[in-house]
Amino acid sequence: MQSIRGTKDILPQEIHGWHIVEDRIRYITSLYGYRELRNPIMEYTEVFKRAVGEDTDIVGKEMYTFPDRGGDSITLRPEATAAVVRSAIQHNLTAQQQIARVYYSGPFFRYERPQKGRQRQFHQFGCELLGASSPEADIEILTLAHDFLESLGIKSRELHINTLATPEIRQLFKQELISYFTAHLSDLSEESQSRLQSNPLRILDSKHPGDKALSANAPRMQDMLDTESKDHFSKVLSHLNSLSIPYTVNPLLVRGLDYYSHTVFEFTSTALGAQDALGGGGRYDHLFEHFGGKHTPSIGFAFGIERLLLAMSAQESISEAPKPEIYVIGFESEESRRAVISCAHALRTLSGKQVIVDVQNRSLKAQMKEADKLGVKQVVIIGPEEALHDTCIVKDLSTGMQHTKSMTELHNMFS
Ligand code: AMP
C-alpha cells in the first residue's frame, strides 16, 4: 500500500522544519494582531465556483469534487479565501470593528500534475485583512508577508507587484486584450486560444514562448488606469519605498483567480526551480457582495509551506532539531530499572528537559552507545549498586567527568 500520488507523509525526521515555520506563523501574526480562523477542509462546491470563477484552472480542472451520501456536491478546499469569506459572512466576523484580521494554516487540495514544489495535497499559511480598502491595509498585509519571509531567513526572493484596477477598467482591458490577441490568433498556444474569450488576462502569465512574445507587446493595464486606481497603487509603492522593501512592478502579473482587483502581488524565489512562487495574494473588494454579503473590501495572501521549506533548505537555514539532554541508564536488576523510571519521571517534571530511557532491557554498554549517538549531554547511571543506596552517577559526555550524587542532590541539580 502506498500513499496517494501527489500526497506526502511528513516524517518525524522532517517535522522540525515544519515546527519552525509554524512557530514563525504564530509569532509574526501575533505581532500584527491576526487571530487564527480554522475552517473545515471541505465546503459546498458552490463556494469555490462562485468565488474563484468557473473559467479558472482551479475550478475547471483541479478540484477534488464529489457527491456526498446525501447527494450534495462537496469540494476539498483548493484555496482559503473563498471559505474565509463564506465564514466571515456566516458568523458576521467584521461586525464589531468593521474589520477582521485573520490567519489560517493547513492542508489544501488540487488535482495537479505532481512535481518538485507541486503536490495534490499541500499546505498553505495565509492572512486576510477584511473590511479595509486603504493602501495602508495593503501595506499591512505586504509588510506582514515580508517580515514572515525575513524571519524564516529566506533571502533568495523577489516581490512582484501589479494593479488590476477596478472591475470596470478590467472589463475594458479584457476587451482590448481580446482584440489584440484575436489579431494574432494563429501565434497563440492552443491553451491560450481556448482561454481567449473566457479569461484573456491569464494569457499574460502564460509560460509558452509564443504567448510570452505576444504578451510583451500587448496593451498594458497601466495605460488605462483611472485616477483612483493610479492613486491607490502609487501610495502602496511609495509606502514600500519608505519601508525599504524591494519590489518589481510586473505588468504581466495577473494571478489566477477571478476575484482580485487593485493590488496583486507574488513572492518568488530563485531557489525553487520551475515552480518558483513562494506565495501571493491581492485585494478582493467585491467578493463579499458576490456571496450576498455587504460591501467589505479586503486583501490577503497565501504562502505554500512546502515551498517555504524547499527555499529554506536550499540555503540551509533550517536549524538542527533539539537533541535529548539527559539519558537515564539502568541495567541488570529489577531495582535498577525501577529507579530509572522514577528518576526519569522526576527529572522531566523538575527540569522540563527531554529525558530518554531504555525500554528494551539493553546492557549498560548498549545504552551508553545510544546516548552518545543521540548527542545527549548528560547520562545518569543508576546501576544495581546505586539503586540499593539511592544514589546515581552523573556523567557529562562532553568532558567525560563523572560524580556520584544522592538522589536529592540530583533533583536539586535539575530543579
Ligand atoms: P495560489 O493562490 O494558487 O497562488 O497559491 C499560493 C501558494 O500556494 C503558491 O505560491 C504555492 O506556494 C502554493 N501552492 C499552490 N498550489 C500548490 C501545489 N499544488 N503544491 C504545492 N504548493 C502549492
Side-chain angles (χ1 to χ4, degrees):
M1 294 282 252
Q2 297 281 309
S3 57
I4 298 171
R5 183 166 139 81
T7 70
K8 276 192 180 160
D9 298 312
I10 302 163
L11 301 173
Q13 56 266 37
E14 306 169 278
I15 203 66
H16 182 56
W18 286 80
H19 287 168
I20 294 174
V21 173
E22 285 159 8
D23 283 349
R24 294 292 93 188
I25 290 173
R26 292 221 171 128
Y27 177 63
I28 301 289
T29 52
S30 76
L31 296 183
Y32 282 81
Y34 284 63
R35 289 192 298 173
E36 188 175 5
L37 170 62
R38 293 191 186 177
N39 292 128
I41 59 161
M42 50 188 187
E43 296 276 344
Y44 290 120
T45 304
E46 192 53 30
V47 170
F48 303 109
K49 272 198 178 161
R50 197 180 291 191
V52 181
E54 303 248 10
D55 297 321
T56 58
D57 283 351
I58 292 183
V59 173
K61 303 191 236 172
E62 297 170 359
M63 293 205 304
Y64 280 89
T65 296
F66 55 92
D68 70 7
R69 287 174 190 276
D72 287 317
S73 180
I74 304 294
T75 292
L76 297 185
R77 60 183 187 180
E79 64 99 54
T81 306
V84 168
V85 169
R86 190 271 305 140
S87 120
I89 295 171
Q90 185 175 336
H91 304 287
N92 213 357
L93 291 187
T94 54
Q96 299 241 307
Q97 321 252 330
Q98 274 129 31
I99 66 163
R101 294 180 164 98
V102 298
Y103 79 90
Y104 58 84
S105 141
F108 291 84
F109 307 85
R110 294 183 195 173
Y111 193 82
E112 294 191 88
R113 196 170 48 79
Q115 63 182 91
K116 185 181 169 202
R118 194 157 78 188
Q119 294 168 203
R120 291 181 174 171
Q121 176 177 336
F122 58 100
H123 296 77
Q124 282 187 341
F125 150 58
C127 287
E128 312 285 356
L129 173 45
L130 310 174
S133 63
S134 65
E136 287 71 25
D138 300 24
I139 279 300
E140 176 166 307
I141 280 289
L142 281 161
T143 49
L144 199 169
H146 167 87
D147 289 356
F148 174 65
L149 294 177
E150 274 296 300
S151 80
L152 293 177
I154 298 176
K155 299 273 178 253
S156 56
R157 63 169 204 262
E158 281 179 19
L159 165 60
H160 293 256
I161 189 162
N162 191 20
T163 176
L164 295 181
T166 59
E168 297 76 32
I169 302 273
R170 205 166 53 254
Q171 202 46 42
L172 291 176
F173 181 55
K174 275 186 180 172
Q175 290 312 321
E176 291 264 322
L177 285 180
I178 292 174
S179 320
Y180 170 79
F181 285 121
T182 307
H184 302 87
L185 197 61
S186 55
D187 296 329
L188 277 181
S189 68
E190 223 171 276
E191 193 177 17
S192 291
Q193 287 188 18
S194 72
R195 273 184 177 148
L196 182 56
Q197 296 300 329
S198 60
N199 201 348
L201 283 174
R202 285 306 307 277
I203 301 177
L204 296 179
D205 71 359
S206 158
K207 300 257 191 303
H208 189 277
D211 296 347
K212 272 182 154 175
L214 279 180
S215 292
N217 298 314
R220 293 281 149 115
M221 176 78 101
Q222 262 68 16
D223 302 329
M224 301 176 62
L225 292 184
D226 58 319
T227 321
E228 182 208 335
S229 305
K230 236 184 230 166
D231 276 1
H232 187 101
F233 195 47
S234 69
K235 276 189 186 143
V236 172
L237 299 186
S238 108
H239 281 302
L240 287 175
N241 292 335
S242 323
L243 292 163
S244 305
I245 297 179
Y247 63 87
T248 307
V249 174
N250 179 355
L252 301 180
L253 178 70
V254 297
R255 308 270 307 145
L257 318 182
D258 270 3
Y259 53 62
Y260 289 118
S261 54
H262 291 296
T263 315
V264 286
F265 57 91
E266 206 156 78
F267 287 91
T268 57
S269 167
T270 47
L272 287 181
Q275 301 302 319
D276 67 350
L278 290 166
R283 175 161 280 293
Y284 50 97
D285 286 349
H286 306 284
L287 191 55
F288 276 70
E289 290 115 290
H290 232 66
F291 274 84
K294 64 178 195 304
H295 181 61
T296 311
S298 302
I299 181 161
F301 67 75
F303 284 112
I305 298 182
E306 283 82 358
R307 298 215 190 147
L308 296 170
L309 287 165
L310 279 174
M312 285 164 75
S313 63
Q315 52 182 60
E316 291 169 7
S317 70
I318 302 180
S319 58
E320 255 187 72
K323 295 192 165 109
E325 289 178 76
I326 307 169
Y327 197 122
V328 190
I329 297 179
F331 51 94
E332 286 169 15
S333 75
E334 178 63 27
E335 289 74 18
S336 158
R337 300 205 187 267
R338 208 169 258 287
V340 163
I341 289 171
S342 56
C343 172
H345 186 247
L347 288 183
R348 289 186 194 108
T349 316
L350 289 173
S351 69
K353 292 186 194 306
Q354 194 183 133
V355 181
I356 301 290
V357 295
D358 168 65
V359 289
Q360 295 158 282
N361 270 317
R362 289 178 301 177
S363 67
L364 168 65
K365 199 171 155 204
Q367 292 181 60
M368 284 299 285
K369 213 167 143 189
E370 192 192 23
D372 202 39
K373 207 168 115 198
L374 289 171
V376 163
K377 290 195 188 84
Q378 284 175 308
V379 293
V380 176
I381 304 166
I382 315 176
E385 269 304 298
E386 288 79 22
L388 277 183
H389 299 103
D390 212 20
T391 59
C392 62
I393 298 165
V394 181
K395 182 169 182 177
D396 185 314
L397 288 191
S398 56
T399 61
M401 299 270 281
Q402 63 178 56
H403 303 280
T404 301
K405 306 253 178 215
S406 70
M407 277 303 165
T408 316
E409 284 171 330
L410 179 76
H411 290 173
N412 289 340
M413 241 180 106
F414 288 104
S415 50

